[in-house]
Amino acid sequence: MSTTPGIPGGTGTGAGAVVADLEPGAGPASAGAPDDEADEEAEDGGRWARDLLLLAGICLLTLLLVNAFVARPFAVPSGSMENTLMPGDRLVANKLAYAFGGHVRRGDVVVFDGTGSFLPESAAPGGVGGALRALGQDLGLAPAGDTVYVKRVIGVGGDRITSPGPDGPLTVNGVPLDESSYLRLGDAPSRVAFDIVVPAGKLWVMGDHRNASRDSRDHLGEPGGGFVPEDKVIGRADWVVFPVGHWTSLDRPAPFAALGGTGGHGDQG
């Protein structure tokens, strides 16, 4: 039996046996390679999960900011605005419409908080729970609730609005208002006769389905007189987005242009 010279106990064909043991990838030195690959895969998976969570957080934050400051969806709860808006329609209220010094204009369809005008202030939930609910509503995380209404603005601060009852049109600052383009077919402009002047900073609002709308007329004898404070307006209803068959923009009817310069806060044409 021959031995390799200089290497005690060595066998085989000389130095070749030793070189084979030292080749890359052989023996204990390469045993950790599969573990390294698994660690890299785990790290990649963790990075992907973190990126996904970050993206989801950015999307959620963007949605909350849009709901709070730009536009907010609402569901139409009743038929008081037929046929402009149908029960169950989803509309988008533009919260920037009056954000930079602009005023509500005659003919706008607005979403507003009715506490203090259509409802007593006590109707709004108080305390911490009420504040949290209001915050959730502003962010679009909670339903609008029973204090939110959608109506059409007929008069603004300074306007005199009169109705002779079911036999004639409304007049705004002495100008007859043609409501045929939006008033529900068969409805009179108002079955109730009235003659009012809208206080500064307030609005007179009515539904397009006059025979089925509880609006400013129903609160004439109450402390607020049915007038909605302008700062209670949440936004201007600009679009119907659902259902698909009802997609439309809620443009201001042309007859309101005839009232421009007749009164109110500035030229409303």
Side-chain angles (χ1 to χ4, degrees):
M1 179 175 180
S2 62
T3 61
T4 303
I7 302 179
T11 61
T13 57
V18 177
V19 172
D21 288 343
L22 299 178
E23 288 179 353
S30 62
D35 291 338
D36 292 342
E37 293 177 2
D39 290 343
E40 290 179 2
E41 291 178 0
E43 185 177 349
D44 290 342
R47 186 182 302 111
W48 181 86
R50 288 193 300 271
D51 290 345
L52 183 61
L53 287 174
L54 178 61
L55 179 61
I58 292 172
C59 291
L60 178 59
L61 178 61
T62 301
L63 180 61
L64 293 177
L65 291 174
V66 168
N67 278 340
F69 302 108
V70 180
R72 181 178 164 191
F74 289 91
V76 177
S78 72
S80 67
M81 282 294 292
E82 291 180 351
N83 288 330
T84 303
L85 299 171
M86 306 300 290
D89 281 356
R90 265 60 172 181
L91 60 84
V92 173
N94 179 359
K95 302 184 78 170
L96 295 179
Y98 315 119
F100 302 103
H103 286 286
V104 178
R105 301 199 299 172
R106 307 182 194 99
D108 289 350
V109 176
V110 295
V111 178
F112 63 93
D113 179 359
T115 54
S117 55
F118 284 22
L119 296 168
E121 289 286 355
S122 58
V128 176
L132 290 175
R133 180 178 177 182
L135 177 61
Q137 290 171 343
D138 288 341
L139 295 176
L141 299 176
D146 297 333
T147 65
V148 175
Y149 296 81
V150 55
K151 303 291 181 188
R152 188 179 299 278
V153 177
I154 303 299
V156 298
D159 285 341
R160 180 179 180 180
I161 306 171
T162 62
S163 168
D167 297 328
L170 302 181
T171 63
V172 180
N173 302 324
V175 179
L177 180 60
D178 178 6
E179 300 188 276
S180 59
S181 64
Y182 57 84
L183 201 64
R184 191 176 189 270
L185 187 64
D187 283 10
S190 177
R191 291 180 175 178
V192 178
F194 60 84
D195 186 346
I196 57 93
V197 175
V198 185
K202 303 292 182 69
L203 307 169
W204 180 268
V205 298
M206 302 174 75
D208 289 354
H209 188 1
R210 296 288 161 78
N211 293 352
S213 175
R214 297 203 62 198
D215 47 43
S216 289
R217 297 167 296 169
D218 292 278
H219 304 277
L220 280 166
E222 298 176 11
F227 303 112
V228 176
E230 199 169 343
D231 60 11
K232 288 283 190 176
V233 172
I234 297 170
R236 185 180 66 205
D238 278 355
W239 308 279
V240 177
V241 296
F242 184 85
V244 174
H246 292 180
W247 281 1
T248 186
S249 60
L250 299 174
D251 300 323
R252 195 164 161 260
F256 284 94
L259 305 176
T262 63
H265 43 54
D267 187 350
Q268 285 267 323

